[in-house]
Amino acid sequence: MWYYSLKNSRHRVSFQEALNKGLAPDKGLYFPESIPKLSERFIQNLSKYEIHQLAFEVIYPYVQGDLKKEFLEEIIQKTLNFPFPLVAIDQDVHALELFHGPTLAFKDVGAAFMAACLGHFQEKNSAPITVLVATSGDTGGAVARGFYKVPQVKVVILYPSKKVSELQEKQLTTLGENIEALEIEGDFDDCQNLVKCAFLDKELQKERSLTSANSINVARWLPQMFYYFIAYRSLIEKSSDKKIVFSVPSGNFGNLCAGMLAAQMGLPVRHFVASTNSNDTIPRFMENGVYEPKTAQTTISNAMDVADPSNFVRITQLHPDFKDLRNSMSAYRFTDPETIETIQNIWKRKSYMLDPHGAVGYMGLERYLKRKNQEPSTIGVFLETAHPVKFIDKIPEELRKEIPMPDVLKDLMKKHKKAQKLSRDYESFRTYLLDTR
Ligand SMILES: *Cc1c(COP(=O)(O)O)cnc(C)c1O
């Protein structure tokens, strides 16, 4: 498969190069040159496939030419090694729980797949590669965990001092081995700025080969299709004539965009709902066709505090016609008080604990199902993207005691932080990178 830059269709690269570069030199996102169609027979027989086989069939065309079948099989084994339960909340409303991975967030899937691919390509490379990640808290943990002990890969994580939760800090700073954490005396923008400067520093790049692992990387985007297929497979086991509506709590829109790609490959999906917090650039766009980002607002579903979602261009590439896009996708926004109320309500009525992001997804699904005159075969699934314990400080106080502490976290909290403190000044970061080569 070839990938082209969305800013210049003549710039084409292989999967491996798209993975290594992240973003095209013209700053365009990479996009597959064609969208493979799965056969109807495959879709009809989905329930007969074991989950790893299913994932293989879905992603193989995207890596063909770069990854041999047996290596892809190994990579999928490493990626999908935790469950993706579908939990019934109401009669036709299900939570697709994506938080059973090592850092309790859906980003574990993309991060693990990307890490395994890079690790594989690095086997043939005698020089180690360094992955630089700036994080405001959540992404860094999933990436660090994904790359943990991958040979020939070093990871340097930059996080803003005192601006991440205790739990997040533990996830970033306690791994050791090939994962180095830098506690930057500044905010997230300072961290991002240091990473940017390093990528522009030609002299430094001669000494140390650098890459990024941010969410627009094709190797993080594409594997997110897996769980849409897995959800469909679980649902048709129960009732075969259902048509699914997926509601996706969205920030940068990578997760939703992966679902829409799965649908274009042939997964039967009736509709997508993009659910956002008050960062509502896309809901406004869906109303009037005008793309007009405002400054990002802080909310309790803070992994979605994105004003200018970088993956949305991929969605408009999948659906260039606005009318067609509106037929495939609706978008709704919800405030923090609505989110809190939903968490309380669902706990009271169903004894199910939503995290703030999942709550936004739930509300989007509910609104869509109520608004449209639904055919009886419609079934709703919202993506529950994080374990509620990760956002326990955002959950109403009286409910916090109801949230179980997963074993992985109990162990994590006992570990000791190891991080190097650095100022936000580029020279000290540069010196650090050169000295720790
Ligand atoms: C990153 C994240 C999201 C948003 O996903 P996008 O792919 O950026 O839209 C939603 N929920 C949680 C918990 C996240 O960490």
Side-chain angles (χ1 to χ4, degrees):
M1 175 71 80
W2 291 100
Y3 293 82
Y4 65 93
S5 160
L6 285 179
K7 290 208 167 140
N8 173 6
S9 57
R10 276 174 307 182
H11 174 83
R12 290 197 327 171
V13 297
S14 65
F15 172 73
Q16 184 178 357
E17 198 177 341
L19 181 156
N20 277 324
K21 288 235 170 79
L23 205 60
D26 59 14
K27 306 267 186 284
L29 270 68
Y30 284 117
F31 198 84
E33 199 165 59
S34 63
I35 295 171
K37 295 277 182 285
L38 295 160
S39 73
E40 244 168 70
R41 236 186 97 221
F42 174 74
I43 299 290
Q44 275 160 10
N45 290 306
L46 221 57
S47 57
K48 299 201 182 86
Y49 282 76
E50 181 265 321
I51 280 174
H52 291 154
Q53 278 177 315
L54 180 71
F56 182 92
E57 295 297 327
V58 169
I59 208 149
Y60 182 61
Y62 293 94
V63 302
Q64 202 170 2
D66 286 54
L67 275 177
K68 289 213 180 96
K69 288 189 172 177
E70 71 254 39
F71 296 128
L72 180 61
E73 277 165 9
E74 273 175 34
I75 289 168
I76 289 173
Q77 298 277 351
K78 286 182 193 162
T79 306
L80 299 179
N81 57 4
F82 51 87
F84 297 87
L86 202 57
V87 179
I89 306 288
D90 265 320
Q91 193 182 0
D92 279 326
V93 173
H94 296 75
L96 176 60
E97 293 186 351
L98 303 178
F99 57 73
H100 296 275
T103 75
L104 312 176
F106 84 95
K107 291 188 177 78
D108 282 328
V109 176
F113 186 84
M114 178 181 174
C117 289
L118 190 63
H120 169 72
F121 294 134
Q122 275 298 100
E123 273 172 20
K124 288 182 229 115
N125 198 346
S126 58
I129 194 165
T130 301
V131 178
L132 291 185
V133 210
T135 184
S136 55
D138 228 30
T139 308
V143 170
R145 187 56 231 218
F147 281 96
Y148 183 54
K149 291 189 179 170
V150 175
Q152 296 286 64
V153 180
K154 279 195 174 182
V155 178
V156 177
I157 308 172
L158 296 84
Y159 72 96
S161 181
K162 302 194 179 75
K163 294 211 166 65
V164 302
S165 74
E166 191 191 349
L167 176 71
Q168 286 171 334
E169 187 168 39
K170 290 271 185 188
Q171 285 184 328
L172 300 171
T173 59
T174 58
L175 285 166
E177 300 271 348
N178 60 329
I179 314 292
E180 296 162 22
L182 297 181
E183 181 176 358
I184 304 297
E185 286 161 337
D187 57 22
F188 173 58
D189 288 327
D190 294 319
C191 297
Q192 235 175 352
N193 188 45
L194 290 175
V195 170
K196 256 186 217 156
C197 288
F199 281 120
L200 293 172
D201 188 336
K202 294 249 157 53
E203 290 296 310
L204 175 71
Q205 302 248 19
K206 273 188 214 150
E207 303 291 325
R208 203 167 172 164
S209 133
L210 301 177
T211 188
S212 82
N214 63 22
S215 69
I216 45 128
N217 199 297
V218 292
R220 281 187 57 188
W221 172 44
L222 298 169
Q224 298 178 124
M225 286 192 289
F226 295 159
Y227 38 75
Y228 290 91
F229 283 91
I230 293 173
Y232 178 78
R233 179 179 169 276
S234 320
L235 283 172
I236 55 170
E237 265 177 6
K238 291 176 198 146
S239 44
S240 60
D241 61 336
K242 295 287 185 184
K243 279 278 168 58
I244 308 182
V245 174
F246 280 108
S247 170
V248 186
S250 295
N252 243 329
F253 280 73
N255 207 5
L256 175 67
C257 184
M260 297 181 96
L261 183 62
Q264 288 210 350
M265 288 180 76
L267 183 71
V269 178
R270 176 158 286 156
H271 200 73
F272 287 96
V273 181
S275 304
T276 75
N277 57 32
S278 36
N279 292 285
D280 62 351
T281 306
I282 302 309
R284 284 184 288 113
F285 173 78
M286 294 306 285
E287 278 157 27
N288 57 20
V290 183
Y291 188 87
E292 199 178 23
K294 297 178 183 159
T295 44
Q297 287 179 47
T298 304
T299 73
I300 57 167
S301 47
N302 55 25
M304 313 197 295
D305 292 350
V306 180
D308 187 5
S310 38
N311 274 293
F312 197 66
V313 283
R314 284 185 170 138
I315 291 184
T316 50
Q317 189 70 16
L318 288 171
H319 294 278
D321 180 57
F322 188 55
K323 244 192 176 155
D324 167 55
L325 177 62
R326 287 180 71 155
N327 283 333
S328 308
M329 177 186 125
S330 303
Y332 306 118
R333 88 204 67 147
F334 300 94
T335 62
D336 280 355
E338 288 172 309
T339 306
I340 299 272
E341 199 187 315
T342 298
I343 294 173
Q344 285 166 326
N345 214 340
I346 296 301
W347 174 255
K348 213 188 296 162
R349 286 201 302 121
K350 302 288 171 184
S351 304
Y352 187 82
M353 190 65 73
L354 292 163
D355 100 292
H357 307 79
V360 169
Y362 174 87
M363 288 187 283
L365 182 62
E366 209 190 21
R367 182 163 303 174
Y368 177 78
L369 292 179
K370 271 200 187 130
R371 271 205 185 165
K372 302 277 144 100
N373 245 340
Q374 292 304 333
E375 291 166 53
S377 60
T378 302
I379 190 158
V381 173
F382 67 96
L383 275 49
E384 177 44 286
T385 46
H387 192 292
V389 77
K390 291 200 84 170
F391 297 93
I392 197 158
D393 55 327
K394 309 288 188 298
I395 307 264
E397 222 169 329
E398 75 278 7
L399 296 184
R400 289 183 195 166
K401 60 179 188 311
E402 312 288 355
I403 301 173
M405 178 75 131
D407 290 340
V408 286
L409 288 194
K410 282 185 209 150
D411 297 340
L412 184 70
M413 296 318 268
K414 285 184 219 139
K415 293 190 179 156
H416 293 289
K417 161 180 166 183
K418 232 173 65 191
Q420 167 103 23
K421 252 198 180 164
L422 275 188
S423 79
R424 58 183 185 174
D425 148 60
Y426 179 60
E427 272 314 305
S428 48
F429 178 51
R430 186 172 198 272
T431 309
Y432 172 87
L433 287 177
L434 288 171
D435 289 350
T436 55
R437 247 171 309 169

